[in-house]
Amino acid sequence: MTILVTGGCGFIGSNFVKYMLETYPEDIIVNFDKLTYAGNLENLQDIEKNPKYHFVKGDICNRLEVEDCIKKFNTDVIVNFAAESHVDRSILGPAVFIETNIAGTGILLQVAKEIGIKKFVQISTDEVYGSLGNDGKFTETTPLHPNSPYSASKTSADLLALAYEHTFGLPVVITRCSNNYGPYQFPEKLLPLMIANAFDNKPLPVYGDGMNIRDWLYVKDHCIAIDVALREGKVGEVYNIGGNNEWANINIIKLLLKIINKPESLIKYVKDRPGHDRRYAIDASKIEKELGWKPSVTFEIGLEKTIKWYLENENWWRRIISGEYQQYYQKLYGNR
Ligand code: NAD
Ligand code: DAU
């Protein structure tokens, strides 16, 4: 089978590409990525010479590039990770989120329909459901209520994907996962940002009261769930994916500081993210019961592995934070 992975140079995409090459040596993986600020070829250095792996630099918003690539490699299935993925950036500048996440997904769906792709997995997010109160969890039937430009753009993409299934019979499956953590996550996101700052004894900017809750899943478990959805997922269905692992931000940060032996005095409460969703929690019983997936990495082990990876790969994140990231950091945190 030939699998087109879009956004394979990002955090989850690069973990997925490696997982698939390791698990299915007979399959061909084509990684189609624009190499935005978040895409990094270094993430795939160890497999770039694998004869079953191909990289194509391309933009999902460019119909010709998409079509050429799908045809050239006789693509069977598509897994669409390509997106602008950071909520804070969507608040600073929503336009590229609308372009990539909505228009880009629309182009992929249209070309997939014309060419007759056998399965199209849209990688979505639990953020499409909005924010929870103290109780309950998101199920696949929770009403969609996205609150940020990022989540609104991902919700739009989901609706387009479902419309292509309903109207044209395109074999679409949607996965909606909670917060991922693990190796190769760009250091704008909570955990790697806090690790990098703590390492340099810089303040750790905690938004609001630090009591917002996220449900954390180790990235490899997400990759396994996507693979299951790709192979076994029923067309037209949505599958929630989560780790049943809720943490208030401040508690996760304190745990991290304890593990790396840094003082809590580094914590700095800063102005809240506008529209900040209070709590996410995923009910993943559908994928567990119907497709037999469940998380395999405990938070204790996953966090330890993640911290170890960032400490052993200091050059990787230092190269990132020494570039354009500096201006982004100043813009986002400068007057908080
Ligand atoms: P990321 O920002 O690390 O990577 C995104 C990748 O997409 C990059 O390699 C980038 O170059 C590429 N890309 C961006 N625009 C593109 C375009 N126009 N054409 C081709 N490639 C383009 O993102 P991530 O955290 O790995 O997230 C991947 C997907 O998973 C996203 O769709 C995101 O919404 C979803 N998701 C992420 C999480 C999470 O916790 N990170 C959780 C649930 C769902
Ligand atoms: O839930 C899935 C989503 O998780 C994905 O769809 C997104 O692509 C991914 O970025 C992530 O979104 P979040 O907004 O939850 O992740 P982030 O790492 O940006 O923030 C996690 C929490 O930490 C959130 O409550 C905001 C808070 N935070 C974040 C940063 C960057 C801080 O308190 N300080 C910070 O500096």
Side-chain angles (χ1 to χ4, degrees):
M1 174 159 80
T2 298
I3 305 167
L4 181 75
V5 174
T6 67
C9 293
F11 163 46
I12 308 173
S14 60
N15 278 282
F16 182 74
V17 166
K18 290 182 202 190
Y19 171 75
M20 295 299 274
L21 286 169
E22 251 170 53
T23 314
Y24 304 100
E26 70 285 4
D27 285 348
I28 293 169
I29 304 284
V30 181
N31 173 11
F32 182 89
D33 196 297
K34 185 181 176 185
L35 296 179
T36 67
Y37 79 93
N40 189 345
L41 283 172
E42 258 189 75
N43 299 2
L44 295 152
Q45 238 167 20
D46 43 338
I47 53 96
E48 69 188 3
K49 295 205 167 65
N50 185 321
K52 298 286 187 174
Y53 170 74
H54 304 273
F55 171 69
V56 176
K57 185 171 187 298
D59 184 345
I60 60 165
C61 300
N62 183 320
R63 197 198 138 96
L64 278 181
E65 288 178 2
V66 169
E67 198 176 331
D68 280 357
C69 179
I70 292 180
K71 283 186 176 156
K72 180 175 169 200
F73 291 96
N74 287 321
T75 304
D76 294 302
V77 297
I78 298 177
V79 184
N80 181 29
F81 292 92
E84 289 295 330
S85 69
H86 191 34
V87 175
D88 290 320
R89 288 192 192 245
S90 81
I91 297 167
L92 292 175
V96 69
F97 285 73
I98 296 165
E99 183 62 17
T100 295
N101 300 0
I102 308 176
T105 303
I107 286 170
L108 275 178
L109 288 164
Q110 178 63 22
V111 178
K113 167 197 165 243
E114 287 167 11
I115 291 181
I117 287 298
K118 297 189 192 98
K119 197 101 170 239
F120 187 108
V121 182
Q122 172 64 10
I123 306 303
S124 184
T125 166
D126 60 357
E127 299 202 11
V128 299
Y129 301 119
S131 187
L132 289 165
N134 291 335
D135 305 315
K137 293 187 176 207
F138 297 131
T139 70
E140 288 81 357
T141 55
T142 300
L144 301 175
H145 194 297
N147 289 317
S148 71
Y150 162 71
S151 54
S153 68
K154 293 295 291 185
T155 309
S156 309
D158 283 14
L159 294 177
L160 267 178
L162 289 173
Y164 266 73
E165 192 278 323
H166 184 82
T167 311
F168 305 117
L170 183 70
V172 166
V173 169
I174 295 182
T175 61
R176 294 185 180 144
C177 190
S178 60
N179 287 62
N180 284 216
Y181 69 101
Y184 299 105
Q185 187 167 30
F186 195 88
E188 66 192 350
K189 307 281 165 59
L190 182 76
L191 274 169
L193 183 133
M194 298 299 162
I195 295 172
N197 282 17
F199 197 86
D200 287 346
N201 299 311
K202 279 172 46 185
L204 309 191
V206 177
Y207 296 162
D209 63 1
M211 291 306 291
N212 299 67
I213 291 175
R214 296 294 182 265
D215 179 355
W216 295 90
L217 181 72
Y218 191 64
V219 63
K220 187 166 182 189
D221 275 328
H222 187 190
C223 294
I224 295 170
I226 293 166
D227 176 34
V228 168
L230 169 66
R231 280 160 211 271
E232 314 288 340
K234 267 176 55 193
V235 167
E237 294 291 319
V238 173
Y239 296 95
N240 280 355
I241 303 167
N244 207 10
N245 179 38
E246 291 179 53
W247 284 82
N249 294 335
I250 190 64
N251 294 337
I252 218 170
I253 290 165
K254 285 183 177 168
L255 175 65
L256 175 75
L257 287 169
K258 197 168 158 210
I259 298 173
I260 61 177
N261 201 20
K262 291 281 183 175
E264 286 188 9
S265 55
L266 288 176
I267 292 171
K268 184 181 172 210
Y269 289 93
V270 299
K271 199 166 145 222
D272 209 352
R273 171 187 279 175
H276 197 175
D277 285 338
R278 191 63 171 171
R279 174 172 167 256
Y280 302 149
I282 277 277
D283 176 342
S285 54
K286 179 174 172 182
I287 192 169
E288 291 179 0
K289 285 190 194 127
E290 293 183 13
L291 306 185
W293 171 87
K294 63 175 177 5
S296 61
V297 180
T298 63
F299 190 56
E300 199 190 1
I301 303 275
L303 189 61
E304 199 181 297
K305 278 183 168 187
T306 304
I307 294 170
K308 188 164 178 275
W309 188 86
Y310 280 91
L311 297 184
E312 285 172 357
N313 291 276
E314 196 183 331
N315 288 341
W316 180 89
W317 56 264
R318 283 230 180 268
R319 266 194 288 283
I320 293 172
I321 66 169
S322 64
E324 175 263 346
Y325 181 87
Q326 298 276 330
Q327 283 107 57
Y328 158 77
Y329 200 89
Q330 185 52 31
K331 202 167 163 192
L332 190 68
Y333 296 99
N335 51 15
R336 261 201 149 106

